Amino acid sequence: MVTVADVRALARTLPRSSEHLVRDRVKFRVGAIVYVAFSRDETTMGFGYPKEERDGLIADEPDLFFLPGVSDQRFNWVCCHADRLDHGHMTELVTEAWRMVVPKFLARQRLGG
């Protein structure tokens, strides 16, 4: 099970990342771009993910991942059930979401490649 505290601990290590409380929801962003957000009750986590790949992600693990609300489906975004997500998978998803919103040189510095 993943909690906001788990994501916070990781996000604090990612350059330019900041935490914000918006309408009672914890969000992590770089500048004005949100890359991870929790539901108000912190049971679901949304994160940046390429639109062209999200159907495959959801199809592979439909009990874990799901589409965001209709109004948010235009964004590179997917959601998951936090209580079904393990720490290793969270680390990968959050790091990749962060990578999508930072300059390429910064992602290379932090993650290589």
Side-chain angles (χ1 to χ4, degrees), residues 11-41:
R12 284 183 177 158
T13 70
L14 299 172
R16 299 189 187 180
S17 182
S18 60
E19 180 179 341
H20 301 270
L21 189 62
V22 180
R23 296 186 189 112
D24 296 324
R25 295 181 59 192
V26 175
K27 298 185 178 201
F28 297 91
R29 64 187 194 198
V30 171
I33 303 172
V34 175
Y35 68 95
V36 172
F38 280 86
S39 59
R40 283 183 179 88
D41 63 4

mmCIF file of all heavy atoms in Angstrom, residues 11-41:
data_model
loop_
_atom_site.group_PDB
_atom_site.id
_atom_site.type_symbol
_atom_site.label_atom_id
_atom_site.label_comp_id
_atom_site.label_asym_id
_atom_site.label_seq_id
_atom_site.Cartn_x
_atom_site.Cartn_y
_atom_site.Cartn_z
ATOM 1 N N ALA A 11 9.129 12.475 -3.807
ATOM 2 C CA ALA A 11 9.044 13.760 -4.505
ATOM 3 C C ALA A 11 10.056 14.770 -3.972
ATOM 4 O O ALA A 11 10.582 15.586 -4.728
ATOM 5 C CB ALA A 11 7.629 14.315 -4.403
ATOM 6 N N ARG A 12 10.346 14.702 -2.686
ATOM 7 C CA ARG A 12 11.330 15.626 -2.099
ATOM 8 C C ARG A 12 12.720 15.432 -2.683
ATOM 9 O O ARG A 12 13.557 16.326 -2.601
ATOM 10 C CB ARG A 12 11.377 15.443 -0.590
ATOM 11 C CG ARG A 12 10.201 16.059 0.108
ATOM 12 C CD ARG A 12 10.320 15.932 1.605
ATOM 13 N NE ARG A 12 9.193 16.603 2.244
ATOM 14 C CZ ARG A 12 8.773 16.342 3.453
ATOM 15 N NH1 ARG A 12 9.386 15.435 4.192
ATOM 16 N NH2 ARG A 12 7.754 16.982 3.947
ATOM 17 N N THR A 13 12.979 14.267 -3.246
ATOM 18 C CA THR A 13 14.297 14.005 -3.831
ATOM 19 C C THR A 13 14.368 14.407 -5.301
ATOM 20 O O THR A 13 15.449 14.389 -5.884
ATOM 21 C CB THR A 13 14.665 12.512 -3.732
ATOM 22 O OG1 THR A 13 13.841 11.742 -4.611
ATOM 23 C CG2 THR A 13 14.538 12.009 -2.302
ATOM 24 N N LEU A 14 13.236 14.753 -5.894
ATOM 25 C CA LEU A 14 13.197 15.076 -7.320
ATOM 26 C C LEU A 14 13.362 16.580 -7.520
ATOM 27 O O LEU A 14 12.570 17.368 -6.987
ATOM 28 C CB LEU A 14 11.879 14.598 -7.937
ATOM 29 C CG LEU A 14 11.630 13.096 -7.848
ATOM 30 C CD1 LEU A 14 10.217 12.762 -8.304
ATOM 31 C CD2 LEU A 14 12.671 12.327 -8.648
ATOM 32 N N PRO A 15 14.381 16.995 -8.273
ATOM 33 C CA PRO A 15 14.624 18.420 -8.482
ATOM 34 C C PRO A 15 13.403 19.156 -9.033
ATOM 35 O O PRO A 15 12.670 18.628 -9.863
ATOM 36 C CB PRO A 15 15.766 18.434 -9.504
ATOM 37 C CG PRO A 15 16.469 17.137 -9.294
ATOM 38 C CD PRO A 15 15.379 16.161 -8.946
ATOM 39 N N ARG A 16 13.208 20.359 -8.528
ATOM 40 C CA ARG A 16 12.142 21.283 -8.927
ATOM 41 C C ARG A 16 10.744 20.840 -8.509
ATOM 42 O O ARG A 16 9.768 21.481 -8.844
ATOM 43 C CB ARG A 16 12.177 21.565 -10.433
ATOM 44 C CG ARG A 16 13.468 22.205 -10.895
ATOM 45 C CD ARG A 16 13.374 22.660 -12.318
ATOM 46 N NE ARG A 16 14.672 23.121 -12.786
ATOM 47 C CZ ARG A 16 14.901 23.581 -13.996
ATOM 48 N NH1 ARG A 16 13.913 23.659 -14.869
ATOM 49 N NH2 ARG A 16 16.105 23.975 -14.336
ATOM 50 N N SER A 17 10.625 19.738 -7.817
ATOM 51 C CA SER A 17 9.322 19.243 -7.390
ATOM 52 C C SER A 17 8.861 20.011 -6.157
ATOM 53 O O SER A 17 9.658 20.334 -5.282
ATOM 54 C CB SER A 17 9.416 17.750 -7.062
ATOM 55 O OG SER A 17 8.156 17.254 -6.689
ATOM 56 N N SER A 18 7.560 20.295 -6.099
ATOM 57 C CA SER A 18 6.994 20.951 -4.925
ATOM 58 C C SER A 18 5.626 20.363 -4.623
ATOM 59 O O SER A 18 4.944 19.853 -5.513
ATOM 60 C CB SER A 18 6.903 22.464 -5.131
ATOM 61 O OG SER A 18 6.093 22.774 -6.243
ATOM 62 N N GLU A 19 5.247 20.433 -3.368
ATOM 63 C CA GLU A 19 3.965 19.898 -2.913
ATOM 64 C C GLU A 19 3.002 21.040 -2.654
ATOM 65 O O GLU A 19 3.397 22.079 -2.111
ATOM 66 C CB GLU A 19 4.166 19.094 -1.627
ATOM 67 C CG GLU A 19 2.895 18.498 -1.097
ATOM 68 C CD GLU A 19 3.093 17.688 0.173
ATOM 69 O OE1 GLU A 19 4.246 17.284 0.463
ATOM 70 O OE2 GLU A 19 2.104 17.447 0.877
ATOM 71 N N HIS A 20 1.740 20.824 -3.016
ATOM 72 C CA HIS A 20 0.718 21.855 -2.825
ATOM 73 C C HIS A 20 -0.583 21.203 -2.380
ATOM 74 O O HIS A 20 -0.880 20.072 -2.751
ATOM 75 C CB HIS A 20 0.485 22.621 -4.133
ATOM 76 C CG HIS A 20 1.725 23.273 -4.626
ATOM 77 N ND1 HIS A 20 2.083 24.547 -4.272
ATOM 78 C CD2 HIS A 20 2.727 22.804 -5.408
ATOM 79 C CE1 HIS A 20 3.251 24.843 -4.830
ATOM 80 N NE2 HIS A 20 3.665 23.801 -5.523
ATOM 81 N N LEU A 21 -1.342 21.939 -1.608
ATOM 82 C CA LEU A 21 -2.679 21.514 -1.214
ATOM 83 C C LEU A 21 -3.658 22.382 -1.995
ATOM 84 O O LEU A 21 -3.720 23.595 -1.799
ATOM 85 C CB LEU A 21 -2.875 21.685 0.291
ATOM 86 C CG LEU A 21 -4.139 21.088 0.867
ATOM 87 C CD1 LEU A 21 -4.161 19.566 0.662
ATOM 88 C CD2 LEU A 21 -4.251 21.402 2.348
ATOM 89 N N VAL A 22 -4.403 21.759 -2.909
ATOM 90 C CA VAL A 22 -5.336 22.473 -3.774
ATOM 91 C C VAL A 22 -6.716 21.864 -3.588
ATOM 92 O O VAL A 22 -6.917 20.678 -3.878
ATOM 93 C CB VAL A 22 -4.900 22.376 -5.259
ATOM 94 C CG1 VAL A 22 -5.872 23.122 -6.151
ATOM 95 C CG2 VAL A 22 -3.483 22.893 -5.445
ATOM 96 N N ARG A 23 -7.636 22.649 -3.098
ATOM 97 C CA ARG A 23 -9.004 22.175 -2.838
ATOM 98 C C ARG A 23 -8.991 20.874 -2.039
ATOM 99 O O ARG A 23 -9.635 19.898 -2.416
ATOM 100 C CB ARG A 23 -9.773 22.023 -4.136
ATOM 101 C CG ARG A 23 -9.993 23.328 -4.865
ATOM 102 C CD ARG A 23 -10.892 23.146 -6.087
ATOM 103 N NE ARG A 23 -10.888 24.358 -6.864
ATOM 104 C CZ ARG A 23 -10.338 24.465 -8.072
ATOM 105 N NH1 ARG A 23 -9.778 23.430 -8.660
ATOM 106 N NH2 ARG A 23 -10.375 25.606 -8.704
ATOM 107 N N ASP A 24 -8.227 20.860 -0.985
ATOM 108 C CA ASP A 24 -8.110 19.701 -0.082
ATOM 109 C C ASP A 24 -7.508 18.468 -0.746
ATOM 110 O O ASP A 24 -7.706 17.350 -0.275
ATOM 111 C CB ASP A 24 -9.470 19.337 0.537
ATOM 112 C CG ASP A 24 -10.012 20.436 1.416
ATOM 113 O OD1 ASP A 24 -9.191 21.090 2.096
ATOM 114 O OD2 ASP A 24 -11.232 20.644 1.431
ATOM 115 N N ARG A 25 -6.765 18.650 -1.827
ATOM 116 C CA ARG A 25 -6.097 17.541 -2.505
ATOM 117 C C ARG A 25 -4.603 17.805 -2.536
ATOM 118 O O ARG A 25 -4.158 18.885 -2.909
ATOM 119 C CB ARG A 25 -6.616 17.378 -3.940
ATOM 120 C CG ARG A 25 -8.075 16.981 -4.002
ATOM 121 C CD ARG A 25 -8.545 16.800 -5.410
ATOM 122 N NE ARG A 25 -7.738 15.763 -6.049
ATOM 123 C CZ ARG A 25 -7.746 15.539 -7.361
ATOM 124 N NH1 ARG A 25 -8.477 16.257 -8.159
ATOM 125 N NH2 ARG A 25 -7.005 14.580 -7.863
ATOM 126 N N VAL A 26 -3.820 16.787 -2.176
ATOM 127 C CA VAL A 26 -2.363 16.898 -2.229
ATOM 128 C C VAL A 26 -1.925 16.690 -3.674
ATOM 129 O O VAL A 26 -2.301 15.706 -4.320
ATOM 130 C CB VAL A 26 -1.692 15.848 -1.313
ATOM 131 C CG1 VAL A 26 -0.180 15.895 -1.458
ATOM 132 C CG2 VAL A 26 -2.109 16.066 0.135
ATOM 133 N N LYS A 27 -1.131 17.648 -4.163
ATOM 134 C CA LYS A 27 -0.623 17.579 -5.537
ATOM 135 C C LYS A 27 0.869 17.858 -5.527
ATOM 136 O O LYS A 27 1.360 18.668 -4.741
ATOM 137 C CB LYS A 27 -1.337 18.597 -6.430
ATOM 138 C CG LYS A 27 -2.828 18.332 -6.537
ATOM 139 C CD LYS A 27 -3.501 19.262 -7.505
ATOM 140 C CE LYS A 27 -4.983 18.906 -7.585
ATOM 141 N NZ LYS A 27 -5.596 19.387 -8.797
ATOM 142 N N PHE A 28 1.557 17.189 -6.422
ATOM 143 C CA PHE A 28 2.989 17.402 -6.602
ATOM 144 C C PHE A 28 3.181 17.942 -8.005
ATOM 145 O O PHE A 28 2.605 17.422 -8.963
ATOM 146 C CB PHE A 28 3.757 16.085 -6.402
ATOM 147 C CG PHE A 28 3.613 15.560 -5.012
ATOM 148 C CD1 PHE A 28 2.595 14.675 -4.685
ATOM 149 C CD2 PHE A 28 4.476 15.968 -4.005
ATOM 150 C CE1 PHE A 28 2.437 14.200 -3.396
ATOM 151 C CE2 PHE A 28 4.321 15.500 -2.705
ATOM 152 C CZ PHE A 28 3.306 14.615 -2.400
ATOM 153 N N ARG A 29 3.983 18.993 -8.097
ATOM 154 C CA ARG A 29 4.151 19.609 -9.410
ATOM 155 C C ARG A 29 5.554 20.149 -9.595
ATOM 156 O O ARG A 29 6.322 20.308 -8.643
ATOM 157 C CB ARG A 29 3.098 20.679 -9.639
ATOM 158 C CG ARG A 29 3.165 21.856 -8.725
ATOM 159 C CD ARG A 29 1.977 22.775 -8.941
ATOM 160 N NE ARG A 29 2.211 24.054 -8.303
ATOM 161 C CZ ARG A 29 1.280 24.913 -8.013
ATOM 162 N NH1 ARG A 29 0.032 24.653 -8.297
ATOM 163 N NH2 ARG A 29 1.585 26.052 -7.444
ATOM 164 N N VAL A 30 5.842 20.438 -10.854
ATOM 165 C CA VAL A 30 7.058 21.128 -11.253
ATOM 166 C C VAL A 30 6.571 22.401 -11.929
ATOM 167 O O VAL A 30 5.871 22.341 -12.936
ATOM 168 C CB VAL A 30 7.912 20.282 -12.217
ATOM 169 C CG1 VAL A 30 9.057 21.101 -12.778
ATOM 170 C CG2 VAL A 30 8.436 19.034 -11.518
ATOM 171 N N GLY A 31 6.902 23.540 -11.348
ATOM 172 C CA GLY A 31 6.341 24.794 -11.844
ATOM 173 C C GLY A 31 4.830 24.742 -11.681
ATOM 174 O O GLY A 31 4.318 24.446 -10.608
ATOM 175 N N ALA A 32 4.114 24.968 -12.768
ATOM 176 C CA ALA A 32 2.644 24.939 -12.725
ATOM 177 C C ALA A 32 2.074 23.597 -13.160
ATOM 178 O O ALA A 32 0.867 23.406 -13.145
ATOM 179 C CB ALA A 32 2.093 26.044 -13.623
ATOM 180 N N ILE A 33 2.932 22.655 -13.539
ATOM 181 C CA ILE A 33 2.466 21.383 -14.099
ATOM 182 C C ILE A 33 2.403 20.310 -13.015
ATOM 183 O O ILE A 33 3.414 19.944 -12.421
ATOM 184 C CB ILE A 33 3.372 20.922 -15.249
ATOM 185 C CG1 ILE A 33 3.427 21.999 -16.340
ATOM 186 C CG2 ILE A 33 2.858 19.600 -15.826
ATOM 187 C CD1 ILE A 33 4.446 21.704 -17.433
ATOM 188 N N VAL A 34 1.207 19.802 -12.802
ATOM 189 C CA VAL A 34 0.989 18.734 -11.823
ATOM 190 C C VAL A 34 1.405 17.410 -12.450
ATOM 191 O O VAL A 34 1.017 17.093 -13.572
ATOM 192 C CB VAL A 34 -0.492 18.682 -11.398
ATOM 193 C CG1 VAL A 34 -0.748 17.491 -10.480
ATOM 194 C CG2 VAL A 34 -0.899 19.977 -10.721
ATOM 195 N N TYR A 35 2.193 16.627 -11.728
ATOM 196 C CA TYR A 35 2.575 15.310 -12.231
ATOM 197 C C TYR A 35 2.035 14.169 -11.375
ATOM 198 O O TYR A 35 1.973 13.028 -11.825
ATOM 199 C CB TYR A 35 4.093 15.195 -12.451
ATOM 200 C CG TYR A 35 4.942 15.213 -11.211
ATOM 201 C CD1 TYR A 35 5.344 14.024 -10.610
ATOM 202 C CD2 TYR A 35 5.365 16.408 -10.642
ATOM 203 C CE1 TYR A 35 6.131 14.033 -9.470
ATOM 204 C CE2 TYR A 35 6.159 16.422 -9.507
ATOM 205 C CZ TYR A 35 6.532 15.230 -8.930
ATOM 206 O OH TYR A 35 7.315 15.244 -7.804
ATOM 207 N N VAL A 36 1.606 14.450 -10.149
ATOM 208 C CA VAL A 36 0.942 13.462 -9.287
ATOM 209 C C VAL A 36 -0.083 14.203 -8.435
ATOM 210 O O VAL A 36 0.200 15.296 -7.934
ATOM 211 C CB VAL A 36 1.933 12.727 -8.356
ATOM 212 C CG1 VAL A 36 1.203 11.864 -7.334
ATOM 213 C CG2 VAL A 36 2.898 11.861 -9.138
ATOM 214 N N ALA A 37 -1.258 13.595 -8.279
ATOM 215 C CA ALA A 37 -2.291 14.183 -7.425
ATOM 216 C C ALA A 37 -3.076 13.069 -6.747
ATOM 217 O O ALA A 37 -3.339 12.029 -7.354
ATOM 218 C CB ALA A 37 -3.238 15.047 -8.255
ATOM 219 N N PHE A 38 -3.430 13.301 -5.508
ATOM 220 C CA PHE A 38 -4.240 12.342 -4.754
ATOM 221 C C PHE A 38 -5.681 12.826 -4.667
ATOM 222 O O PHE A 38 -5.941 14.032 -4.677
ATOM 223 C CB PHE A 38 -3.678 12.165 -3.336
ATOM 224 C CG PHE A 38 -2.504 11.248 -3.275
ATOM 225 C CD1 PHE A 38 -1.227 11.724 -3.494
ATOM 226 C CD2 PHE A 38 -2.676 9.900 -3.007
ATOM 227 C CE1 PHE A 38 -0.129 10.879 -3.455
ATOM 228 C CE2 PHE A 38 -1.593 9.041 -2.962
ATOM 229 C CZ PHE A 38 -0.315 9.531 -3.187
ATOM 230 N N SER A 39 -6.589 11.886 -4.539
ATOM 231 C CA SER A 39 -7.982 12.237 -4.286
ATOM 232 C C SER A 39 -8.073 12.834 -2.879
ATOM 233 O O SER A 39 -7.148 12.695 -2.073
ATOM 234 C CB SER A 39 -8.867 10.992 -4.391
ATOM 235 O OG SER A 39 -8.475 10.004 -3.460
ATOM 236 N N ARG A 40 -9.183 13.481 -2.580
ATOM 237 C CA ARG A 40 -9.338 14.106 -1.257
ATOM 238 C C ARG A 40 -9.177 13.091 -0.131
ATOM 239 O O ARG A 40 -8.611 13.389 0.911
ATOM 240 C CB ARG A 40 -10.699 14.793 -1.158
ATOM 241 C CG ARG A 40 -10.754 16.104 -1.868
ATOM 242 C CD ARG A 40 -12.090 16.807 -1.689
ATOM 243 N NE ARG A 40 -12.094 18.074 -2.382
ATOM 244 C CZ ARG A 40 -12.436 18.215 -3.652
ATOM 245 N NH1 ARG A 40 -12.811 17.184 -4.363
ATOM 246 N NH2 ARG A 40 -12.398 19.410 -4.215
ATOM 247 N N ASP A 41 -9.698 11.882 -0.337
ATOM 248 C CA ASP A 41 -9.596 10.858 0.714
ATOM 249 C C ASP A 41 -8.295 10.054 0.626
ATOM 250 O O ASP A 41 -8.082 9.127 1.396
ATOM 251 C CB ASP A 41 -10.808 9.929 0.693
ATOM 252 C CG ASP A 41 -10.937 9.130 -0.594
ATOM 253 O OD1 ASP A 41 -10.044 9.210 -1.484
ATOM 254 O OD2 ASP A 41 -11.944 8.412 -0.728
#
